[in-house]
Amino acid sequence: MTVDAAMLTALTVLPFLGSALSSSLHTRARKAAAALAGLVSLSTLGLVIALYPRVSGGAVFKHEVTWLPSLGLNLSLRLDGVSWLFALLIAGIGALVVLYARYYMSAEDPVPRFFGLLQAFMGSMLLLVLSGNLIQLVFGWELTSLFSFLLIGYWYHNANARDGARMALLVTSLGGFCLLLGVIVLGSIAGSYDVDAVLAAAQEIRAHPYFVPTLVLILVGTFSKSAQFPFHFWLPHAMAAPTPVSAYLHSATMVKAGIFLMTLLWPVFSPSDVWYFGVGTAGLITFLLGAFVAIFQNDLKGILAYSTISHLGLITLLLGLATPAALVAAVFHVLNHATFKAGLFMAAGIIDHETGTRDVRKLSGLIRALPFTGALAIIATAAMAGVPLVNGFLSKEMFLSETLAVHSGTFLDRLLPVLATIGSAFGVVYSVRFIHQVFFGPPAKDLPKEPHEPVAWMRLPIELLVLVVLAVGILPARVVGPLLENAVRSVLGAATPDYSLALWHGFTPALQLSLIALAAGATAYTAFRRYLADSPDEGPPWAGRVRARRVFDLTFLALVRGATAGLRWLSTARLQPQMLLLTLVALGAGLWPFALQAVRGAGWHLPFGPVRSDLLEPAYVAVWAIGAVCASLTGYLAKFHRFAAMITLAGTGLAMVLSFVWLSAPDLALTQLLVEVVTTVLLLLGLRWLPRQVPAEERTRREVIRARARRVRDFVVAVAAGAGVAVLAYAGMTLDPANRLRDGSLRNFFVENAYEGAGGHNVVNVLLVDFRAFDTMGEITVLGVVALTVFALLRRFRPPRELLGGTKQQQRQAAFDAAAGDREVGDTATEFLYVARTAMHLMFPVLGVLAVYLFVRGHDDPGGGFAAGVAMAIAFILQYMARGARWVEERLRVLPVRWIGAGLLVAVSTGAGAWLFGRPLLKSYYERVDFPLLGSVPVASAMLFDLGVLLLVVGATVLMLVALAHQSIRAPRPASREGAEPPREEVEAE
């Protein structure tokens, strides 16, 4: 890996590492969390700046990390001029927001959690803009939705914050789902998900019949993220977040994600008419609607929120015009808007922080108490309004110039200059109102706080942003010219137009429209100043009738009610109906192809190959006959004696073990045998949770008939499901795999390459830890989640402590004594139990040695991490049965949750460690090592992955055992006043 590749990788990883470290700090470690976040953000900014030479001149720098090469999926990082510009905004404004938040956040807030979420969001945005693979880009896209949800709802005690976070998550997630569908279709059309391959296949994509649906799906995703009409309504409600969040998410990062994607794919989609009318119309409506509604807002952040919507619409409109010059103006305004809007959000936060309110109707004359903040806010607002000598004026003039150009010759095209001027005038109105009502006029009275200037460090980020606003506005060619040229050239290439960043181009039509907008906006504010000073909270006059929030709430309520009705119809409190439904669905899916064949008159063709003689041997048939009888007896005995049913069920499991032995699958046989032991014990512990069996004489005739019918139905379904699985298994054992390789069947491929490719003779274990290690990773993750879920569910079943006698320590002692039992030998039965407990206790070292033996030999002989983990879990189970929970947990200190975490950490670290040596994820490495006395022994890195499997299996199994065993412990309640023996209640063994 080169130095530049390492820096590019660090650029995406560093914020997530900082997030993990910040989140692990103590809640009161406010300064340490801020210092860590500041160091991470500054380091990220330094990496972005250091990588600029690799993308100068329109070059593209890529770095790929092999992940799943067989599926064509790699972790791809791609840096070009436009992604570098967005990364600069993400890192630069992120560093300023961290400094601002250090002084804005209250000491009562969990500040480490805030900075952890902020850094995670920064990493998600960097992953999004630096992705060289569209699927990877969508992953970063969804991460931004998740972390923005957590940041917007940071003050979760506030109902508005919770509602705003939920709304933002639902809208952007729905758009993200549409984006994923669109990206999948786009990648299938282009033949690759690589960004460069998609850009190279632009003509083929536009000529494809699925081009329009693909474009619509992608636009829904981008519009929802960038708050374009009709998905704009979530952004104002997201202003319930802390002001640093608003300054970061809604000026430079999250809302710019859709803009970035439209810019990235602009060469592919822009030549189509659907793009022009769809993107242009949505941008124009958003531009006008956001600007008009912003005029009537009374909350400072509300004004900025709707103005953000308007400016995002302006950028989208420019992208929709589909001309190279419009793209230049759009990219330029992205940079300008991020700087002045972030500064304005911070200024609004200072006003709220120092006065205790953001209501413009209560604020007045603050220029006297906040002279420096007021001056900074005035300059930033001038940029928002498009006043000369600030950066917003330049990009706004480029925008107006583009609206005057001829694009399609339609009525909408001819109307664009008028509508653009009107929207710009609206922007002047809310900008003037923002400044005039807050900073000028008589001093405000009855403010919650006495206003004064904040500390200098809190104001420093605004000063730096305003300095950029002025520098770009006065010296645009020198300050931002090379960056803009580099970004535009990376998108347009040779089609990059000639453009000028000079301050004066003469008295052009665009300048005339700009001056008209300034004059019209100032005149309109003067005319309606009194009305706006006392405007109602609901905004414009028609806002009460047309409110997107109300439409969203009604839609959400309808969805919730529909889901509740569906859950009530499909789900029950009992597990059996749900299992029946799942089994029937699986049966239907399996029979569907045969039904289609019958309808088409093709007949039924069972996928059987030549009959295998070993499957018809009398011994094998006898084993399965015994297994079938045991399975039938299990269903029959379940209604009489559940313990006996468990014994017969274990008999079916042993029949499966013998079948695996017969079919030369010792690994499966060993694992099945060990799993049978564990599951039998766990199921025995769980029997007490089943409802009481009601004798037949206590039930009505109707209930008896219904019970018999249900058993017959379940028997038929079980036989059908078993027959289907048997057909699949037999087909798999008699047919050659359909997926043939050049040198033989798939089976032969694994047999021939197990040792050469992974250094192991045990093909089954090599499959699990090398060839299909990614599947194993998912399986052990699911196992850990299941164990945690079982533990969490069973912890809910606790008896009230007031129902139990004695102190808490006495309750524990009684519970453990009841579990361990009386050790005194009084008769033959008691002595037998004592001997059995002693034997189980002595089995612990034996099973421990067996687990180590199975683990060490697993790569070459039957065994492996999973079998070793189950064997070790059996050792712990025997100790629970022999000594009781107290003795085990005090002497052995099991700590199963840590075992689960350690197992996942070891497995993931082993898989990711392959990247350090230029190998795919989870690709094992082996080498023969000479050991004294042992000679040459193959040592494979897959053993470390197998170790992670072992640790997780032990932790998950023991955790479920702990949950079930503790809930099964009983302790006597105090006797009642009459002296009667009360019923025994369970007690939690902590």
Side-chain angles (χ1 to χ4, degrees), residues 314-330:
L314 184 153
I315 298 171
T316 303
L317 173 59
L318 283 170
L319 292 173
L321 294 180
T323 62
L327 179 71
V328 174

Side-chain angles (χ1 to χ4, degrees), residues 468-648:
V468 173
V469 167
L470 290 172
V472 174
I474 298 173
L475 301 170
R478 293 187 178 182
V479 176
V480 78
L483 306 183
L484 181 61
E485 172 72 16
N486 195 40
V488 171
R489 189 168 295 279
S490 66
V491 179
L492 298 176
T496 303
D498 294 329
Y499 60 92
S500 173
L501 294 180
L503 291 180
W504 177 253
H505 299 92
F507 199 66
T508 61
L511 179 60
Q512 297 174 29
L513 293 181
S514 182
L515 295 177
I516 291 173
L518 289 172
T523 303
Y525 174 74
T526 303
F528 295 99
R529 184 180 62 182
R530 295 185 180 277
Y531 173 79
L532 293 175
D534 299 319
S535 61
D537 289 328
E538 52 268 18
W542 42 265
R545 298 180 181 179
V546 182
R547 185 169 293 178
R549 171 65 183 271
R550 179 174 176 81
V551 175
F552 172 82
D553 288 339
L554 291 175
T555 304
F556 182 74
L557 181 61
L559 290 174
V560 171
R561 288 179 176 176
T564 304
L567 185 65
R568 190 182 303 114
W569 180 61
L570 294 173
S571 180
T572 64
R574 298 170 61 241
L575 182 61
Q576 289 87 343
Q578 299 181 36
M579 294 179 63
L580 176 65
L581 180 62
L582 291 174
T583 305
L584 289 175
V585 171
L587 275 173
L591 292 175
W592 180 253
F594 298 100
L596 287 180
Q597 289 181 7
V599 170
R600 296 169 181 172
W604 285 28
H605 300 285
L606 296 178
F608 293 154
V611 178
R612 289 179 53 173
S613 59
D614 59 336
L615 299 181
L616 300 178
E617 291 287 339
Y620 182 78
V621 173
V623 168
W624 264 106
I626 295 173
V629 171
C630 289
S632 301
L633 283 176
T634 299
Y636 176 75
L637 293 174
K639 63 179 181 178
F640 301 114
H641 199 289
R642 289 168 177 164
F643 181 77
M646 287 291 305
I647 299 300
T648 56

Side-chain angles (χ1 to χ4, degrees), residues 260-462:
F260 169 78
L261 186 57
M262 286 190 287
T263 305
L264 182 68
L265 299 179
W266 190 89
V268 178
F269 295 127
S270 61
S272 68
D273 292 336
V274 178
W275 173 274
Y276 175 78
F277 288 103
V279 177
T281 302
L284 179 61
I285 295 175
T286 307
F287 171 56
L288 294 172
L289 181 63
F292 182 71
V293 178
I295 296 173
F296 300 91
Q297 300 301 304
N298 295 313
D299 187 321
L300 286 176
K301 289 178 68 175
I303 296 174
L304 296 178
Y306 280 100
S307 71
T308 298
I309 293 174
S310 177
H311 282 269
L312 291 172
L314 184 153
I315 298 171
T316 303
L317 173 59
L318 283 170
L319 292 173
L321 294 180
T323 62
L327 179 71
V328 174
V331 175
F332 190 23
H333 198 68
V334 166
L335 176 63
N336 294 337
H337 175 260
T339 52
F340 67 69
K341 188 56 64 68
L344 282 173
F345 270 116
M346 293 181 189
I350 288 178
I351 295 171
D352 182 25
H353 192 270
E354 302 301 330
T355 64
T357 182
R358 297 198 307 259
D359 194 331
V360 295
R361 295 168 299 184
K362 300 178 181 179
L363 298 170
S364 179
L366 289 182
I367 195 67
R368 300 176 181 85
L370 303 170
F372 296 108
T373 303
L376 296 172
I378 290 172
I379 297 173
T381 306
M384 183 169 63
V387 176
L389 297 182
V390 287
N391 60 0
F393 167 75
L394 297 173
S395 53
K396 186 69 73 68
E397 189 177 19
M398 295 174 71
F399 161 65
L400 294 173
S401 177
E402 271 305 301
T403 61
L404 291 168
V406 177
H407 303 92
S408 63
T410 61
F411 175 76
L412 179 63
D413 193 29
R414 292 191 293 270
L415 198 60
L416 267 180
V418 178
L419 297 177
T421 305
I422 293 174
S424 300
F426 289 160
V428 174
V429 174
Y430 63 69
S431 299
V432 175
R433 185 188 179 209
F434 184 92
I435 293 301
H436 185 265
Q437 280 193 238
V438 174
F439 292 104
F440 296 96
K445 299 179 181 179
D446 300 327
L447 291 175
K449 296 180 181 179
E450 185 66 26
H452 58 81
E453 285 286 356
V455 297
W457 287 106
M458 186 176 183
R459 201 175 56 239
L460 178 61
I462 311 177

Side-chain angles (χ1 to χ4, degrees), residues 188-201:
S188 64
I189 295 174
S192 173
Y193 294 105
D194 185 80
V195 171
D196 291 322
V198 171
L199 295 177

Side-chain angles (χ1 to χ4, degrees), residues 718-739:
V719 170
V725 174
V727 168
L728 292 176
Y730 189 79
M733 289 186 291
T734 57
L735 281 180
D736 224 16
N739 182 14

Side-chain angles (χ1 to χ4, degrees), residues 653-741:
L654 290 176
M656 293 179 61
V657 171
L658 293 176
S659 298
F660 289 138
V661 173
W662 182 270
L663 297 173
S664 302
D667 260 297
L668 296 178
L670 176 63
T671 304
Q672 178 69 28
L673 180 62
L674 295 171
V675 170
E676 281 294 324
V677 176
V678 174
T679 53
T680 300
V681 174
L682 294 179
L683 287 175
L684 286 172
L685 289 173
L687 284 180
R688 68 180 299 273
W689 294 99
L690 297 178
R692 185 180 71 90
Q693 292 176 310
V694 181
E697 56 271 13
E698 296 182 13
R699 293 183 289 179
T700 64
R701 179 177 177 82
R702 183 178 180 181
E703 290 175 340
V704 172
I705 294 175
R706 291 180 59 184
R708 289 177 179 174
R710 185 171 61 250
R711 284 196 296 271
V712 172
R713 178 202 64 192
D714 293 344
F715 178 78
V716 173
V717 172
V719 170
V725 174
V727 168
L728 292 176
Y730 189 79
M733 289 186 291
T734 57
L735 281 180
D736 224 16
N739 182 14
R740 292 177 175 271
L741 297 180

